Amino acid sequence: MKNRQAFVLIELMMVTMIISALAVYVIPKYGIQIDKAKYNQCLFSRKSAERAQQVYMFEHENSVAPLSQLYSAGYLNKIPKCLSGGEIILVSTSPLKYACSVHDAALPPAPAGPSVFFLSDFNNMDGMKIIQGKWYVKDGFLYNKDRYAGQIFVSTSPLSDYSVKVNANLFSGNGYGIYYRASLDSSNRISGYCFQYDPGLGNKLVVRKVMNGAESAPIASYNMPKDFPVYNAQHQIEIKTYGKITEAYLDGKKIFEFQDSS
């Protein structure tokens, strides 16, 4: 009887060891399959968003809408979401691409490309520091209620070579600008470069150096066409800066390039 009990105990130990070995092998595999399923679901959601945005842009003269608006207008049957908790954000209109804050930086690896350091669909003001003006977000757009001036600053990590892309619509006022390679001092004075639309110079797009809030004369400029729609028209502006070079693009077209060693 004692031998039988010992044999049963050995059998139980062996079964436990086998189950443990299977668990060590199966559970990680199961976890990988779940991760792959979540990735595929997120990819499907992003592709759905891209298709809906493409239709919307075709029907609205290349205007871009936030996902919430695409859903409310019937272009999407639900707002795309990532089951891993990632945020799905529009990162490019040419080519049209939505990215996920989780799956574009995790396995399976995303296609090679630049990292996104800051991006917003303007449903909130996270990551934005108001320097001057009365800024607010509404329906996927960022507005400034101050009729005279406004400055808003986005802090990332120390960068030297990168690009900044925005969609801008000027409803009224004396122009707008995009700071780049810029920093703030303790008094919130900006030093760096500023790409601007400056109607006071005769409908020109210019770049100025900024030192402690004071702007220099233009160091680069572009004369807009005579009938170019400035007000109440959305335009895509992109600034690329690398090494000593700055490139400026308007609606996908390069308008100037210059070098500055400082």
Side-chain angles (χ1 to χ4, degrees), residues 146-235:
D146 195 321
R147 59 177 295 187
Y148 296 105
Q151 293 176 333
I152 196 164
F153 197 80
V154 174
S155 177
T156 61
S157 55
L159 306 173
S160 58
D161 297 347
Y162 58 93
S163 64
V164 180
K165 183 184 292 185
V166 299
N167 292 317
N169 194 338
L170 185 62
F171 298 106
S172 62
N174 295 321
Y176 52 75
I178 300 171
Y179 292 99
Y180 67 97
R181 283 188 172 169
S183 59
L184 293 173
D185 64 14
S186 58
S187 300
N188 283 338
R189 293 176 301 184
I190 298 178
S191 294
Y193 295 85
C194 189
F195 173 91
Q196 302 172 329
Y197 163 61
D198 192 337
L201 293 178
N203 277 8
K204 288 186 176 181
L205 293 168
V206 304
V207 171
R208 302 176 188 267
K209 290 184 183 181
V210 184
M211 183 59 67
N212 297 325
E215 297 180 348
S216 72
I219 59 176
S221 65
Y222 168 77
N223 292 313
M224 290 187 292
K226 182 179 179 181
D227 297 325
F228 186 81
V230 174
Y231 291 93
N232 300 303
Q234 183 169 280
H235 297 289

Side-chain angles (χ1 to χ4, degrees), residues 6 9 29 48 50 77 91 101 109 134 155 185 195 253:
L9 181 60
K29 293 285 186 180
S48 298
E50 289 169 4
N77 57 14
V91 295
S101 59
K134 300 175 181 178
S155 177
D185 64 14
F195 173 91
K253 173 189 174 183

Side-chain angles (χ1 to χ4, degrees), residues 125 134-145 171:
M125 295 187 64
K134 300 175 181 178
W135 297 87
Y136 66 100
V137 293
K138 181 181 179 182
D139 299 329
F141 292 91
L142 176 67
Y143 296 91
N144 178 27
K145 289 192 292 188
F171 298 106

Side-chain angles (χ1 to χ4, degrees), residues 10-21:
I10 292 173
E11 284 182 325
L12 289 174
M13 291 175 62
M14 290 181 65
V15 170
T16 303
M17 290 173 63
I18 291 172
I19 293 174
S20 299

Side-chain angles (χ1 to χ4, degrees), residues 27-151:
I27 291 176
K29 293 285 186 180
Y30 180 68
I32 291 173
Q33 292 302 318
I34 291 177
D35 289 342
K36 285 184 177 180
K38 289 182 178 180
Y39 172 82
N40 289 332
Q41 175 274 330
C42 179
L43 181 62
F44 178 81
S45 295
R46 282 178 274 151
K47 294 302 180 184
S48 298
E50 289 169 4
R51 288 192 293 269
Q53 190 69 256
Q54 194 169 32
V55 174
Y56 183 90
M57 292 174 68
F58 177 78
E59 295 179 352
H60 294 82
E61 300 180 348
N62 285 329
S63 296
V64 177
L67 292 176
S68 57
Q69 184 175 338
L70 293 177
Y71 169 69
S72 62
Y75 290 87
L76 288 166
N77 57 14
K78 62 180 180 180
I79 297 178
K81 293 183 179 179
C82 171
L83 293 180
S84 296
E87 186 175 3
I88 297 177
I89 309 172
L90 181 67
V91 295
S92 172
T93 56
S94 182
L96 189 62
K97 176 177 171 58
Y98 276 86
C100 171
S101 59
V102 171
H103 289 115
D104 276 12
L107 294 176
S115 299
V116 177
F117 292 92
F118 177 83
L119 190 144
S120 177
D121 57 7
F122 297 127
N123 287 319
N124 57 61
M125 295 187 64
D126 294 346
M128 298 178 233
K129 179 179 181 180
I130 296 176
I131 307 303
Q132 184 179 8
K134 300 175 181 178
W135 297 87
Y136 66 100
V137 293
K138 181 181 179 182
D139 299 329
F141 292 91
L142 176 67
Y143 296 91
N144 178 27
K145 289 192 292 188
D146 195 321
R147 59 177 295 187
Y148 296 105
Q151 293 176 333

Side-chain angles (χ1 to χ4, degrees), residues 1-7:
M1 186 68 179
K2 291 183 178 179
N3 291 337
R4 178 58 183 166
Q5 289 177 341
F7 184 72

